[in-house]
Amino acid sequence: MKRISGDHAGIEGLPLRLLIVSLLISLTLPLFVGAYQCHSSDLMRAAAKADMDKVESASLSTFLGGVGSVRVIELDSDRTGRRFMEIGGTPGSAEFHSLRYTGGGVEITRFLDDLPVGISSPSGRSVMIGPTAQSLRFECGMHNSTLYIMVEVIE
């Protein structure tokens, strides 16, 4: 059995080998970290767009059903606990016709151009959806001769 203390060439070459290994790690680690962050950001963006598509589709379907029409949708579960979506706003504001999403380094604003009415909460403000919200209830209603979609979070 050969001992490392008796192998003078092995002891002399060890620092060089350690230097080469640490150099390779320092060059490749940032590439892997960057690829992972880009991939996770793409996954968050895709999940956000899927949730926004569901909200937009339910809003349009509720509007087409007329006054009194009700739809309930299930949102995808947020495993990160960092999802926040804001739907609609006060009547007459730009937010009245938009969806806003923030979470996991992703910020998206979508204006609902295909929806001829706005979206609001029953109190007339925007609807805040946190990471624990799983279901939304949409109802087409009329207030002061203005047709709009009323959204409520169902916990």
Side-chain angles (χ1 to χ4, degrees):
M1 179 184 257
K2 197 174 193 182
R3 301 178 105 188
I4 195 163
S5 61
D7 185 10
H8 296 291
I11 292 175
E12 290 174 4
L14 185 62
L16 180 61
R17 288 181 186 197
L18 289 174
L19 180 67
I20 290 171
V21 168
S22 64
L23 180 65
L24 287 175
I25 290 172
S26 68
L27 289 175
T28 57
L29 188 63
L31 295 174
F32 287 119
V33 170
Y36 172 74
Q37 287 176 343
C38 182
H39 179 67
S40 64
S41 177
D42 287 345
L43 289 177
M44 289 295 291
R45 187 173 302 282
K49 286 185 177 183
D51 280 346
M52 292 175 103
D53 288 343
K54 284 182 180 181
V55 169
E56 184 173 10
S57 176
S59 299
L60 188 58
S61 174
T62 305
F63 166 72
L64 293 175
V67 176
S69 176
V70 175
R71 304 286 187 273
V72 175
I73 64 168
E74 299 286 324
L75 296 177
D76 292 332
S77 62
D78 178 31
R79 294 179 190 91
T80 63
R82 298 179 296 182
R83 172 192 67 195
F84 294 96
M85 188 185 306
E86 191 174 1
I87 300 175
T90 56
S93 67
E95 288 85 16
F96 193 47
H97 296 277
S98 70
L99 306 173
R100 280 104 39 220
Y101 183 98
T102 304
V106 175
E107 292 186 16
I108 301 173
T109 299
R110 181 185 291 182
F111 289 96
L112 305 175
D113 298 330
D114 295 338
L115 189 65
V117 297
I119 302 174
S120 183
S121 68
S123 62
R125 294 189 301 232
S126 63
V127 180
M128 294 296 296
I129 302 169
T132 59
Q134 297 300 319
S135 300
L136 297 176
R137 181 180 185 274
F138 294 78
E139 182 177 356
C140 186
M142 187 169 290
H143 181 69
N144 294 335
S145 70
T146 302
L147 195 64
Y148 72 101
I149 304 298
M150 194 170 36
V151 179
E152 294 177 284
V153 176
I154 302 171
E155 297 290 335

